[in-house]
Amino acid sequence: MRSDLAEVFAHLRREPEEGADPVSAMRAMVEGYGMGCIGAGLAACRVMPVQIGAMAAEWLVPPAAGDGRIVYLHGGGWVAGSLASHRAIAAELALLAGQAVLVAGYRLAPEHPFPAGLGDAAAALAHAAANGPDGPGQATRLALVGDSAGGNLAAVVALGLAPLAVVPRPDRVVLMSPFLAITPVAGGFAGEPDDPAVASDAMGLVAELYAPGCDPGDPAISPLLAPDALLAQLPPTLIQASATETLRGQALVFAQRAWALGAPLRLSLWPDLPHVWQAFIGKLPEADAALAEAAVFLRT
């Protein structure tokens, strides 16, 4: 294994602080997930805090931003992640795409279980449709991006399953290592993945924290199980996943269903990389390449 990849995998395998409860351990892990990696985007973008109801959010605005707007939903198993933890990756995407990115600080479980965070995600998209970083004004182009659990929220919102009366339809959707069902799903891959970030045996705990007592087959929780009629109307979507991560099967099954229905979905599979490798900007060349791929997709 390459030395840079070995270092990243060793970082992700580090043991949590002794005595830490599972939620605190997950939150600490997600805050330090990217090893402090940053790219040119963080220095180039203006950071503009905004309040959407009771939710804190922030715009990341690159120089000479175009008319498009992107909403970014961070990962963290629905219980972790913050504006700070994903600022660097969102800023890099803003710079590469040449569009302002709104990062949503949606409510987290277990303090705020399903559907609180989902409602916040939809509210962020509605806000970005009607407001830019400099004030009110309708978006001419609107995209939705999410990683891991944020990818789950993005998929649910894009499918029209969010608990809001009116949610705008995004023009483009990017899902990075998305969590598309709350239970493991096989999908044509042999062997158990070596994934230090998302362990199959821990998925039940995360699901119980996020959606206690809920039906795991509810497509608002597991969008992989969305009805054909909704999946067929999916906006143009790019899924990026590693062929060696636990959630790889979900990505493949979701893509196969979408393809069978004629939905405009692209699946970009990358070998030998960790879950949400895009966070390792400047450390893994594949992180830079994947963000560049996403930016091109968002611009076209």
Side-chain angles (χ1 to χ4, degrees):
M1 180 180 288
R2 290 182 350 225
S3 60
D4 55 351
L5 274 171
E7 185 179 355
V8 167
F9 274 101
H11 165 72
L12 296 177
R13 288 192 177 96
R14 68 195 189 282
E15 294 295 324
E17 183 179 339
E18 187 173 354
D21 67 90
V23 172
S24 297
M26 185 176 296
R27 288 175 176 169
M29 187 272 285
V30 172
E31 289 300 320
Y33 191 89
M35 302 174 69
C37 292
I38 60 174
L42 200 55
C45 289
R46 289 182 291 146
V47 180
M48 303 177 63
V50 63
Q51 199 71 22
I52 304 172
M55 175 175 55
E58 65 184 28
W59 285 102
L60 296 161
V61 187
D67 294 334
R69 299 170 194 163
I70 300 168
V71 173
Y72 192 98
L73 304 174
H74 67 74
W78 301 283
V79 307
S82 65
L83 300 180
S85 67
H86 285 68
R87 186 173 290 130
I89 188 173
E92 199 69 13
L93 190 60
L95 182 63
L96 291 170
Q99 299 176 30
V101 173
L102 177 68
V103 185
Y106 60 86
R107 286 171 290 177
L108 300 176
E111 296 87 351
H112 303 283
F114 172 85
L118 177 59
D120 289 347
L125 188 67
H127 180 88
N131 301 271
D134 298 315
Q138 290 296 315
T140 58
R141 187 175 179 86
L142 187 64
L144 186 57
V145 179
D147 72 87
S148 194
N152 170 284
L153 298 176
V156 173
V157 171
L159 289 166
L161 292 166
L164 280 187
V166 179
V167 180
R169 174 184 168 89
D171 298 297
R172 290 283 189 276
V173 178
V174 175
L175 310 176
M176 303 175 182
S177 296
F179 216 133
L180 296 171
I182 60 175
T183 55
V185 174
F189 291 97
E192 179 69 16
D194 180 18
D195 186 341
V198 180
S200 297
D201 58 4
M203 292 174 71
L205 171 62
V206 172
E208 183 58 30
L209 291 170
Y210 173 55
C214 295
D215 177 9
D218 182 348
I221 297 171
S222 296
L224 179 65
L225 305 177
D228 285 354
L230 292 182
L231 192 55
Q233 299 302 312
L234 191 71
T237 298
L238 169 66
I239 296 180
Q240 295 177 331
S242 169
T244 50
E245 66 174 313
T246 299
L247 301 181
R248 62 192 181 169
Q250 297 189 4
L252 181 57
V253 172
F254 189 83
Q256 289 172 327
R257 285 198 61 208
W259 293 333
L261 295 166
L265 183 144
R266 292 166 53 185
L267 176 61
S268 180
L269 273 178
W270 300 63
D272 305 323
L273 294 168
H275 178 67
V276 192
W277 72 92
Q278 297 88 342
F280 300 95
I281 306 160
K283 186 167 192 66
L284 298 180
E286 294 91 344
D288 302 327
L291 289 171
E293 177 186 59
V296 169
F297 179 79
L298 291 168
R299 291 197 306 266
T300 55

